[in-house]
Structure formats: C-alpha cells, structure tokens
Amino acid sequence: MLKTVAEVTLRDGTPMQVVLCEPPEEEYAQGLLHFLRHKADDSLRGIRQRVLGQYADYCLDRYFVGEVDGRPVGHAWYGLPRVDDGRRWGIGNFGHVYTDPEWRGRGIAGELTRLLLDDFNAEPTGSCLLCSAGADAGRIYRRFGFQFIPPDATSGPMCYLKPSVAPDFATLDEEYFAPGLPTRVRHGHIGDRHDLDRMLDFSAPWIAARARWHMVGVSSLAPTFMAALHYVEDGRGLLSVLQTSSGSLVGYAFVLSLGTGYEVGLRTFDFVLHPHYLGEGVSLARETLAMAAEAETSDVHTSVAACDEKKLEILQSAGFAEQYRFADAFLVGSGTPEQSRHDVLLLKARASTA
C-alpha cells in the first residue's frame, strides 16, 4: 500500500507531502532503502527485508516518508506483529527516525512522529510502541506522549502506551511477565522480534538479572533475537521461543553454527530467559535440543561463565556436561572497582539430548 496521508507546512514555510508505505511496495522500497543507506549493515538488512515485504506474513510495517518535490527528506517507522497466536498485547517498535542533514531544524521529525502516532492509535492490534532514544530525540518524543524507562531517565528506552493498556510501562511490565502461567516452546519467527528484543530487553527484572546472565564465547556473535534470526535465515540453525498462555514471550533459545567454514559442524546453544520463568529453563533447553535433533543436528556445545550460577544449573539439568574449563577467561565489570575474573566452562549436550 502506498498513499499520501498529509500535506504539511514546515517551519520555514516549505510544503511537505507525507507518504505512507506499507510493504510490499518493491518499486518505492528501492528509493527508501537508498535514503536509509547510512544505517549499519545488520540494521539495513532488516529494513530491506521489511520494505520488500519478505516479513509481511508476520509483521505489519508502516513507513512514513516526508517528501519535498518528490524527494525524501525525512522518515519514521513503526512495526507490529501480524500473528494470531493468542497474544494479549500487540508490542510494537518505533524507530528509524531520520531527517536529511540539509533539512534538519524544520520540524520534520515532529510532523512525522505526530502522523505516525495518529495512525498507531487507530490501529486496533497495537498496545504500545517501544524504542531507544538519545536526549535530543527523547525531548521530541516526550512531547507526543512517550515516557522514558524509568521515568526519571533522560536517554535510553522509551515507551508509548495506549491509555487502555496500562498507566505506565512498570505496570505493563508486571502484567506482561506475570509469573506462573503455562508455557509452550515453539519455533521462533520475525513476528516475535519486538516482544523479545524490546519488551523483554526493557523489563526491569531482566535488566537486573543480566549482571548474572551473559553471552560468552561465540554466542556473543548473536547477542539479540534479531541477530540470531539472521543466522537462521542464512540456513545456519534454528531458533525457539517460550510463550505463555497469555501470549507473552518470556525467553528464547538457539542452536546455531556461529563459527567459520572450518567449524561448520560445530553448533552453539544459548538461551535468554526472563527471571520469572527460570523454572521453565530446562524445558526450553531440552525442547530446543529436541528440535535440533529432529533437524539431524548433533555436536551441540555451549559456553557459560562460572559466575552465571543459575544459567549453569539449568544447562547441567538439561543434559550438558563440562568438557573443558578456561581459567579466569571471563572479565566482569572491566575498569570498575567491582572488576572480577571468572572461569569459562565449555559444555557439550549429551547425544541423547541433542
């Protein structure tokens, strides 16, 4: 879908046309990708796949493009999952806000944000939009109802909530990750991205737990759900998610080939799990390894820092056994008074498990 949604006048009196692009719109997408070519490679890869409609089965993506005389001068985007799997919340992502340097200071970002939020508020499937922002951008977004997480911050995570959903992000956090619900493990897909790389990442209990939960060794090459999904798209393994009966996504796991071509047979397992659902960690690990076994994947290893005691306990209970120990190989709190070194354990899944 491609349509003009508004004609606005910028601060200097210049008229700007605002175009809404909802993928797939391949012809328009090429110009939009050229406009956003400054993005980092991984980010641009995701944008390219979205605007070309490759994620359209799982994602609702809307791009608001400001044009002057047919030339793009500004851009903003929001995305929501397009899935019917019993989710109570429609967790969205807002971002990629960009103004051509020659056109900055004329109110383009504010106009695009206003129109985008009008559209989001009319979209029945959306509950909230999450993003990260620096101090300058944050001041703009706050004028439109975004809140910092926590509220006294001046940069970092932000949230825009529909009033009917929750009064603030802390309340949404508590409700979304309410403990004790039944769970199931399934294959992950792009429609899970905003829940896991935004909602989970911004959750206060998970932020507190990250000091005792690290991605070690080659697992650090896939530090986010989206990064792991790119490996899956390249045919280098699989990705699972842990979903509650309310539809909340409370963790994910992967079995991926993260090494070079010389290590193509070596598969790495790792997982992320909200603290309220640590009791489901063994099931998440075992069922993910069972998925790998069905795909005829063997020789699955993982690395864990000895200081991550709960993570190590889950891995051992799931059938991983220590193969090697690298003494003092992991540094925590570099350059701080709390700096400490810890062993790194290389574990291997038992053949009956993987």
Side-chain angles (χ1 to χ4, degrees):
M1 179 183 71
L2 191 65
K3 67 177 181 179
T4 299
V5 294
E7 297 270 359
V8 301
T9 301
L10 302 180
R11 291 174 187 163
D12 63 354
T14 302
M16 182 178 75
Q17 184 180 65
V18 180
V19 175
L20 168 59
C21 174
E22 183 179 319
E25 276 293 340
E26 187 167 353
E27 184 174 345
Y28 190 80
Q30 299 305 325
L32 182 57
L33 288 169
H34 181 75
F35 182 66
L36 297 174
R37 64 190 182 280
H38 62 282
K39 292 287 186 180
D41 288 347
D42 282 350
S43 180
L44 189 59
R45 171 176 174 166
I47 294 171
R48 179 181 295 107
Q49 288 168 284
R50 287 182 187 278
V51 299
L52 292 177
Q54 295 175 12
Y55 294 153
D57 288 344
Y58 292 104
C59 303
L60 171 67
D61 292 296
R62 289 182 175 156
Y63 296 84
F64 290 77
V65 184
E67 295 183 349
V68 175
D69 296 329
R71 171 193 169 191
V73 295
H75 169 269
W77 157 82
Y78 82 88
L80 290 166
R82 180 184 271 153
V83 291
D84 184 16
D85 58 4
R87 297 188 194 189
R88 178 181 169 190
W89 295 273
I91 304 299
N93 193 185
F94 162 76
H96 302 314
V97 180
Y98 176 71
T99 302
D100 186 310
E102 296 180 10
W103 288 86
R104 291 176 184 171
R106 308 188 204 196
I108 291 174
E111 291 287 356
L112 294 176
T113 300
R114 175 180 63 83
L115 291 166
L116 181 151
L117 291 176
D118 286 346
D119 186 85
F120 172 73
N121 286 325
E123 172 54 51
T125 64
S127 298
C128 72
L129 292 176
L130 302 175
C131 69
S132 291
D136 291 341
R139 281 192 290 270
I140 296 174
Y141 303 155
R142 287 182 70 176
R143 296 204 303 264
F144 295 97
F146 279 86
Q147 305 169 10
F148 275 110
I149 308 169
D152 59 352
T154 56
S155 64
M158 299 191 80
C159 179
Y160 180 89
L161 276 165
K162 289 183 177 178
S164 59
V165 175
D168 51 39
F169 182 79
T171 302
L172 176 63
D173 191 5
E174 291 178 4
E175 294 179 357
Y176 184 98
F177 292 106
L181 295 176
T183 61
R184 67 185 178 99
V185 179
R186 61 165 174 81
H187 284 278
H189 54 68
I190 186 61
D192 304 324
R193 185 264 174 187
H194 306 324
D195 290 72
L196 293 167
D197 278 350
R198 285 293 179 260
M199 190 67 207
L200 175 59
D201 212 36
F202 292 175
S203 174
W206 169 242
I207 291 172
R210 282 199 302 240
R212 304 177 302 280
W213 196 287
H214 302 92
M215 290 283 195
V216 179
V218 293
S219 288
S220 62
L221 296 173
T224 64
F225 179 85
M226 191 70 216
L229 184 63
H230 283 327
Y231 281 99
V232 175
E233 292 171 343
D234 292 340
R236 299 180 65 173
L238 61 88
L239 188 57
S240 69
V241 300
L242 184 67
Q243 186 167 12
T244 72
S245 57
S246 72
S248 301
L249 302 181
V250 296
Y252 68 93
F254 60 70
V255 177
L256 298 173
S257 175
L258 296 171
T260 68
Y262 296 104
E263 302 151 333
V264 67
L266 178 63
R267 301 291 173 141
T268 298
F269 172 88
D270 217 323
F271 69 114
V272 167
L273 191 59
H274 192 277
H276 291 174
Y277 283 86
L278 291 178
E280 302 299 320
V282 173
S283 294
L284 174 61
R286 285 179 174 169
E287 292 190 43
T288 304
L289 291 171
M291 291 177 181
E294 289 178 7
E296 299 183 350
T297 297
S298 59
D299 197 20
V300 179
H301 293 74
T302 189
S303 296
V304 60
C307 58
D308 295 344
E309 296 177 358
K310 187 60 183 179
K311 188 176 186 181
L312 177 58
E313 178 187 332
I314 291 171
L315 289 166
Q316 291 172 331
S317 297
F320 282 88
E322 181 176 340
Q323 298 291 297
Y324 194 81
R325 181 179 292 255
F326 301 89
D328 296 331
F330 188 66
L331 178 63
V332 175
S334 178
T336 69
E338 294 78 25
Q339 177 176 308
S340 58
R341 286 193 173 276
H342 305 272
D343 293 355
V344 171
L345 283 63
L346 178 66
L347 312 179
K348 183 177 181 179
R350 291 197 299 264
S352 59
T353 304

